[in-house]
Amino acid sequence: MTIPPIEVSFGAATDPGLKRALNEDALLAVAPIFLVADGMGGYDAGEVASSTVVDEFSSLAGRPSLDMEDVKAAFTRARSRVDALPAEEGSGPGTTLTGVAIAEHGGGGYWLVFNVGDSRTYRLANGNLEQISVDHSVVQELIEDGSLSEAAARVDRRRNVVTRAIGAGDKGAPDYWLLPAVTGDRLLVCSDGLTGELTDEQIQAVLLDESSPQAAANRLVHEARLLGARDNVTAVVVDAIAVHLAPDEAVGTDDDTVPRKGREEV
Ligand code: MN
């Protein structure tokens, strides 16, 4: 039996929130793959799109680790299936997708983070929360060109407009990041229904306060409900409880083939 490069403990929670009749978020939390998809489209089309993506990525569950090609191939298959769904509106149903896979590189354990759309993947390391994924959204573009502050973006009427998706007539490529894993890392994968209610500071406080990943996921969803939960809310929390590294690749060794935070377009 192959030992996985990262041993994880994880938990997940999802809730329709207080204003929406349907939960169009979907999640997958089975090692070595953890993801959240936030569906969009009329009636139940968004729910079908997000659950289709989860179904496709479920084929990756149960392996010790994945590589970039596994995840890219699953993206391609998922996109084909969502594009084939019946379109009840102009551009058809669509979904965001973000998450993290356990990956092996040179005998070491890495987090392979992927994103298309405005769901988010964060990492809590050494007590500090860092957003790894970069939103594909109109307000993110305005933040980057300096015409909108992050505070203003939170209340901007365009805050839910994504610039890349799976389906919805879009072909935009996912972004990828390959990060060396360290024992004690905590990853959070969540939908915008969480980040629309809680600030990064509030999210960090919950992640530091709750030791069990399941308790942390439950508490994040609970806090979003206390703040109004205007959208569906989903949180997946993944802890690295052990990272197996090859003897010549100890933590702290520079590995110039894999940046601490790199980015690759498909
Ligand atoms: Mn949402």
Side-chain angles (χ1 to χ4, degrees), residues 146-162:
S147 55
L148 196 68
S149 70
E150 295 201 18
R154 295 183 66 80
V155 294
D156 193 281
R157 63 181 169 77
R158 296 160 292 185
R159 66 187 177 278
N160 295 319
V161 181
V162 298

Side-chain angles (χ1 to χ4, degrees), residues 20 25 38 191-193 231-232:
R20 302 284 178 93
D25 287 359
D38 179 347
S191 62
D192 67 337
D231 191 6
N232 308 145

Side-chain angles (χ1 to χ4, degrees), residues 76-97:
T76 300
R77 294 193 304 269
R79 176 163 266 156
S80 296
R81 288 178 60 182
V82 173
D83 284 344
L85 293 172
E88 307 212 352
E89 311 177 333
S91 56
T95 183
T96 71
L97 177 59

